[in-house]
Amino acid sequence: MTSQTLNSEQKIIESEIRKFCQSELEPVVDDIDKSGSVPEQIIQKLVELGFLGSTISEEYGGAALDSVSHCIVLEELARSCASLATILAVNNNVIVPIIDTFAPDALKKKYLGLLADGARGAYVMLNEFDEQKNIAVKKENGNFTIQGEREFVVSCDSPKFFLTPVENKEFSGFFIIEPQDSISISRHRTLGLRAFGMGSISFNHVQIPADCFTTWSGDRTWQDYIERSANIAFGAVTLGIAEAALLAATRYSKERKQFNRPICDFPMVQDMLATIKIKNTAARSLVYDAAQQDGTDACIAAAIARVVSADAAYYAGTTAVQVHGGYGYTKDYPVERFLRDAKSLQVLGTTSHYIKRYIAKELLA
Amino acid sequence: MILDKKYDEFRNIVREFADQEVAPRACDLDLNDEFPWDLIKRMAELKLLALYVPEKYGGAGLDVLTYAIAVEEIGRVCGSTGIFLAAHSSLGVFPVYVAGNEEQKQKYLVPMARGEKIGSFGLTEPNAGSDAAGTQTTAKLVDDHYIVNGAKRFITSGGVADIIIITATKDPTLGYGGISAFIVEKGIPGFTPGKEEDKLGLRGSITSELVFEDCRIPKENLLGKEGEGFRVFMETLDGGRISIGALALGIARGALDASTKFVREHAQGGKPLKKDQTIQSMLAEMATEVEAAQLLVYQAAMLKDRGLPYTKESAMAKYYASHIGMKATSRAIEIHGMYGMTKDYPVERFLRDEKLMEIGEGTSEIQKIVIARQILGK
């Protein structure tokens, strides 16, 4: 989306989030990456601006932002801090749609209300590989007991609840579990998205009331319902990284002199910048186009947008490091973080080859 | 590639050392920014630090191909230890071996080759990177000392080195003709290692700034003749590229090996990953490209061993091995899924380490310029 095509409300959102990023986020972004956590006041500020539960409908106290506006928020945030943008993406585009689509009214009211007030929900991911440790669910006297571990819980720093999908022969649905002593988390050390909050989670005979479990419903799989929203959101986040990398590389190429001239005078450097720009422009069209689509094609559009945008971000990150040379390899410049964050987003939840498989499946259906 | 049996035997020795002693340390070196003093001592005992230097100068009396194999095998498990070996052997040892007089060889080459002293190479400056001939560090002869002023940056092992080969010019306006090479010993007046870089990868290696303030280098520490510095470092970098190519190759091989192991051990939705055609295709590409990179690296090494020109081939080896290395390490992360971005598996470290191979000792862009110049003529 270019500024020219935004409506007036979207332009206001863009300028608000930009102002927030420049004045509040940029000064602390290196510390966020180093310490692996986002300061609470940053989160609170986003809550005040209404961006944390921004996709929640007004009925539950949310800002009910349209999809394009929400992408603008994610993209702008990710230009400064992809970890924070990813926290928002998980909240707004994974957790909210699951609760909103499947949960009964009582749960919706409670948990969407909490999220609209600025709470964060952690998402306990399903296993990617068969060998991963898993949780066992037992139902006794109407209540559930969960025992075991899952390898990946995301957005796991001080959440108000854990949204935990279960897929086995007996149970197919999701739990909303509030933090308690019998749940423990061990943080993973990661390549990028260091403040996003990725850990493994252990449930030690956690007792859960029956009404905290919701069975999947609907004519499509639950993943189909959330993947469109998640793919667009991650597309917007990666687009933000890609644009930040392009900006950094362009600026540096004008400042850095070698052979008595700025390195942007060299065709090889120009080619790198132009290639980033081409990929970013394609990603931008696809992400914002997908954000405006409805219907069955919208899912494919979102999948395509995510693949192209994630690839653009990784290319931009690694190329921006290259343009910066030795300096780019150090933490004196942000480009090495762009590379790490972009690569992490290429594997978060799914990878391009699985998304391509989905696209092919739809093509051939 | 089919090599003489002696190379296979040598590879087995280094691989055993790498797997048993280096690999268990690699993750910690990276996480804790720890310099591998213990492993350097072991490499010295195994005579790995100056493989192609004759025994009379403390080396192993073998050849460049053997050296490339050693860097590859160490790099397969640990980029930080690999870059130390490459920098010490190619950048510390080599210039003294190729340009030093007999006295300098006895005094500096021998202890470096034996591993009693750590070697390093100070060429890059804050404002002279790709444009290495744009050096601004000056050296003025006053009586029997060169007075050196300036700063170097991104110097591998610079902060821990006992012996550093530096370049400096008698007048920055003279271009490459004004540059000479000098041997600097740790502790001489006016020389201090500056800040250490906080890096994306190779976090177990030390990369330092070097500061020279009226540093007094004895006249006899001039390496080669005055004004020959450019030739010394061009020759040094030609050789260095073989070792960076070998390291890039080793890291790529590490990513391939880790991915192969992971694929063998994991299944998805009841289907073993090794039966997944997409995964097979990725591994097949990685394996093919790693083999191709190996051919280029070994070819460059063999040319150098035979005394034939190898400028183009070493540039190709470094360019290609680092290029496919980035692809292989990046793919390896994807094959590992979300595990790939955690420090429970080595592949994210491989990616971070590999990125330097596209930058250090001449960026990929500079390699392409070198290759094009060789093809097209000046």
Side-chain angles (χ1 to χ4, degrees):
Chain A
M1 210 89 188
T2 59
S3 304
Q4 289 82 3
T5 52
L6 298 179
N7 65 33
S8 58
E9 196 184 327
Q10 290 163 343
K11 276 184 188 159
I12 293 170
I13 287 166
E14 187 187 57
S15 102
E16 265 183 21
I17 193 75
R18 275 197 183 157
K19 208 159 64 188
F20 166 77
C21 289
Q22 272 166 16
S23 60
E24 320 253 343
L25 193 51
E26 279 294 338
V28 293
V29 73
D30 284 339
D31 291 339
I32 290 177
D33 182 61
K34 273 207 184 91
S35 67
S37 74
V38 181
E40 202 49 43
Q41 69 264 29
I42 293 279
I43 303 270
Q44 280 315 312
K45 190 78 208 229
L46 277 175
V47 175
E48 284 164 34
L49 290 166
F51 292 139
L52 208 62
S54 59
T55 55
I56 298 168
S57 61
E58 281 164 347
E59 186 187 349
Y60 299 106
L65 281 192
D66 65 282
S67 188
V68 168
S69 300
H70 181 57
C71 283
I72 293 169
V73 172
L74 292 176
E75 183 196 334
E76 293 297 330
L77 277 180
R79 285 179 185 226
S80 300
C81 178
S83 288
L84 179 57
T86 310
I87 291 173
L88 252 74
V90 167
N91 236 30
N92 288 310
N93 301 88
V94 178
I95 290 175
V96 169
I98 289 178
I99 297 176
D100 199 36
T101 312
F102 300 102
D105 283 345
L107 290 183
K108 270 198 214 178
K109 204 166 172 194
K110 177 170 181 194
Y111 291 104
L112 292 181
L114 274 175
L115 291 169
D117 284 346
R120 272 159 288 159
Y123 183 68
V124 181
M125 302 183 94
L126 283 175
N127 281 352
E128 216 174 347
F129 302 107
D130 299 352
E131 292 72 18
Q132 279 167 243
K133 292 170 197 153
N134 207 347
I135 52 178
V137 179
K138 262 196 278 185
K139 194 172 182 184
E140 279 169 349
N141 310 323
N143 290 339
F144 293 93
T145 309
I146 299 185
Q147 167 67 29
E149 290 169 47
R150 281 256 179 95
E151 202 71 65
F152 293 105
V153 52
V154 296
S155 197
C156 72
D157 290 336
S158 36
K160 278 282 188 297
F161 60 88
F162 296 93
L163 195 148
T164 311
V166 188
E167 283 292 344
N168 59 37
K169 279 178 199 141
E170 262 183 284
F171 305 103
S172 178
F174 67 94
F175 290 95
I176 296 182
I177 309 165
E178 297 194 3
Q180 45 202 283
D181 291 345
S182 50
I183 296 176
S184 59
I185 288 173
S186 149
R187 278 283 296 260
H188 283 298
R189 302 182 74 159
T190 53
L191 168 65
L193 298 179
R194 288 187 175 167
F196 166 45
M198 246 175 79
S200 55
I201 185 165
S202 156
F203 297 86
N204 185 18
H205 293 287
V206 179
Q207 310 282 328
I208 300 155
D211 60 2
C212 294
F213 182 71
T214 304
T215 312
W216 305 120
S217 54
D219 49 358
R220 288 181 289 152
T221 71
W222 64 280
Q223 284 100 336
D224 284 348
Y225 280 101
I226 62 159
E227 261 166 22
R228 173 177 168 269
S229 135
N231 282 338
I232 293 171
F234 291 130
V237 173
T238 45
L239 178 60
I241 299 173
E243 293 288 34
L246 176 59
L247 192 70
T250 307
R251 184 183 300 151
Y252 185 81
S253 75
K254 291 198 268 190
E255 286 166 6
R256 172 72 171 170
K257 281 192 180 143
Q258 288 289 275
F259 305 98
N260 302 316
R261 65 190 114 157
I263 60 168
C264 66
D265 279 5
F266 293 100
M268 273 197 238
V269 173
Q270 292 170 6
D271 190 275
M272 290 194 267
L273 296 176
T275 309
I276 302 177
K277 178 68 181 172
I278 290 167
K279 288 176 189 286
N280 290 8
T281 306
R284 168 169 306 284
S285 306
L286 290 166
V287 168
Y288 283 95
D289 188 42
Q292 295 172 87
Q293 282 192 34
D294 286 319
T296 42
D297 284 349
C299 292
I300 301 178
I304 293 170
R306 177 167 183 187
V307 171
V308 173
S309 190
D311 288 352
Y314 177 67
Y315 179 82
T318 186
T319 307
V321 171
Q322 193 68 22
V323 169
H324 283 67
Y327 289 96
Y329 200 68
T330 73
K331 295 186 187 284
D332 294 351
Y333 288 84
V335 287
E336 64 85 33
R337 173 164 53 83
F338 299 151
L339 166 59
R340 289 186 287 108
D341 287 346
K343 190 68 225 174
S344 303
L345 276 154
Q346 273 186 323
V347 296
L348 185 64
T350 186
T351 52
S352 330
H353 56 278
Y354 294 112
I355 300 178
K356 282 190 207 163
R357 219 167 266 186
Y358 160 77
I359 295 168
K361 193 184 85 189
E362 293 293 318
L363 263 180
L364 299 167
Chain B
M1 187 178 198
I2 302 167
L3 297 174
D4 204 277
K5 209 172 140 199
K6 68 180 181 187
Y7 294 105
D8 294 334
E9 286 164 2
F10 175 80
R11 182 191 302 280
N12 290 338
I13 293 168
V14 183
R15 183 169 285 196
E16 195 181 306
F17 164 68
D19 284 341
Q20 292 182 4
E21 300 183 47
V22 184
R25 300 266 289 112
C27 181
D28 284 345
L29 294 177
D30 176 64
L31 276 179
N32 307 327
D33 301 347
E34 196 186 323
F35 188 70
W37 292 106
D38 54 333
L39 297 175
I40 293 166
K41 191 163 164 256
R42 286 289 294 134
M43 288 194 286
E45 285 164 13
L46 293 167
K47 288 189 157 295
L48 298 181
L49 294 180
L51 283 159
Y52 58 83
V53 170
E55 284 169 298
K56 69 170 177 172
Y57 295 122
L62 298 167
D63 55 17
V64 178
L65 179 57
T66 310
Y67 165 51
I69 291 170
V71 174
E72 176 190 349
E73 289 300 327
I74 304 279
R76 193 175 64 88
V77 299
C78 179
S80 291
T81 309
I83 194 77
F84 169 82
L85 175 60
H88 179 82
S89 302
S90 285
L91 305 183
V93 167
F94 182 77
V96 183
Y97 173 54
V98 75
N101 57 38
E102 192 55 33
E103 202 179 320
Q104 289 169 333
K105 283 180 182 165
Q106 290 304 331
K107 191 169 174 192
Y108 300 109
L109 175 59
V110 171
M112 278 196 285
R114 286 184 182 149
E116 294 155 5
K117 292 197 169 165
I118 289 177
S120 174
F121 185 57
L123 172 66
T124 299
E125 296 182 4
N127 295 308
S130 290
D131 182 11
T135 186
Q136 284 157 15
T137 298
T138 55
K140 303 252 153 75
L141 185 61
V142 178
D143 301 327
D144 53 356
H145 281 81
Y146 286 95
I147 309 299
V148 175
N149 281 288
K152 299 287 177 180
R153 194 149 176 193
F154 305 121
I155 307 306
T156 305
S157 304
V160 289
D162 303 290
I163 297 162
I164 308 170
I165 315 310
I166 67 152
T167 51
T169 179
K170 69 177 174 190
D171 179 354
T173 61
L174 289 176
Y176 58 80
I179 301 172
S180 302
F182 303 91
I183 302 169
V184 174
E185 281 185 86
K186 183 163 96 178
I188 61 167
F191 163 56
T192 42
K195 78 157 195 167
E196 286 174 12
E197 305 291 347
D198 189 0
K199 307 189 296 292
L200 169 64
L202 299 174
R203 298 187 62 90
S205 82
I206 286 174
T207 312
S208 317
E209 192 182 16
L210 309 176
V211 182
F212 300 92
E213 286 167 317
D214 290 330
C215 171
R216 291 166 60 82
I217 299 176
K219 197 172 144 190
E220 61 269 22
N221 281 23
L222 175 71
L223 187 62
K225 294 197 183 81
E226 243 188 60
E228 276 188 353
F230 185 74
R231 190 183 59 76
V232 170
F233 83 65
M234 287 302 270
E235 219 174 314
T236 302
L237 288 182
D238 273 349
R241 279 163 193 160
I242 298 174
S243 69
I244 298 301
L247 184 52
L249 165 66
I251 297 169
R253 173 80 70 188
L256 172 63
D257 289 353
S259 301
T260 309
K261 183 168 183 283
F262 188 88
V263 167
R264 283 202 181 115
E265 292 170 355
H266 288 80
Q268 208 162 37
K271 186 180 177 186
L273 285 188
K274 66 179 199 177
K275 305 262 186 198
D276 183 320
Q277 204 171 64
T278 312
I279 301 287
Q280 290 174 357
S281 160
M282 284 179 165
L283 282 180
E285 273 179 32
M286 279 163 79
T288 306
E289 288 166 356
V290 166
E291 294 272 313
Q294 193 180 54
L295 295 178
L296 283 175
V297 171
Y298 291 1
Q299 172 185 246
M302 286 164 149
L303 286 169
K304 188 173 182 201
D305 279 330
R306 286 174 199 188
L308 295 166
Y310 65 97
T311 299
K312 182 181 78 179
E313 289 76 8
S314 67
M316 284 176 166
K318 179 185 184 283
Y319 163 61
Y320 186 75
S322 60
H323 177 71
I324 67 100
M326 280 306 286
K327 190 173 155 195
T329 53
S330 180
R331 277 288 176 82
I333 290 177
E334 287 163 34
I335 288 172
H336 284 68
M338 279 181 65
Y339 279 132
M341 66 183 279
T342 71
K343 296 187 189 281
D344 296 342
Y345 288 85
V347 287
E348 65 86 36
R349 169 165 55 84
F350 290 150
L351 175 83
R352 288 184 291 109
D353 289 353
E354 188 74 301
K355 184 63 200 170
L356 194 271
M357 308 307 137
E358 290 190 320
I359 297 170
E361 294 187 42
T363 62
S364 292
E365 290 66 40
I366 294 296
Q367 305 309 321
K368 286 192 264 188
I369 290 168
V370 170
I371 296 163
R373 204 175 276 157
Q374 292 288 322
I375 296 169
L376 299 167
K378 287 208 174 171

